[in-house]
Amino acid sequence: LVVGLRLGCLNHALLSVAAINTAKVPFVGWIANQVDAEMAAVTENIATLKALINAPLLGVIPHYAQPDIAEISRYINFSLLLQITEAHHD
């Protein structure tokens, strides 16, 4: 799950998690993506989501005016993602 950090992100993220769980889709983690450069309380929102989402935070992507996939990928913990997905296959 990628959570776009902006107004309403807490509600949207929790509804998305509920939908994933209802569909019985494996939920291995989430990524925080700061889509709103002016969002207040980014750190507090991430902390709230970490407390409420029962899956690991795989990365926090800062705001980019012109995103570059190579640059953005530095912020995602792919080794943790690989560990989790391998554990789901065992």
Side-chain angles (χ1 to χ4, degrees), residues 10-89:
L10 299 177
N11 186 53
H12 187 265
L14 297 177
L15 288 172
S16 296
V17 169
I20 290 167
N21 291 333
T22 298
K24 300 191 185 327
V25 175
F27 182 41
V28 298
W30 62 284
I31 296 169
N33 181 18
Q34 189 175 356
V35 295
D36 180 357
E38 303 300 319
M39 182 185 181
V42 169
T43 303
E44 293 85 347
N45 276 270
I46 292 171
T48 299
L49 289 168
K50 284 175 71 173
L52 296 174
I53 295 176
N54 190 24
L57 174 60
L58 300 171
V60 178
I61 300 171
H63 180 265
Y64 281 92
Q66 293 293 324
D68 175 88
I69 192 70
E71 181 69 21
I72 290 171
S73 66
R74 300 178 332 131
Y75 295 97
I76 301 170
N77 188 340
F78 289 103
S79 61
L80 177 58
L81 180 59
L82 185 58
Q83 290 171 6
I84 295 166
T85 54
E86 286 175 349
H88 273 84
H89 290 295

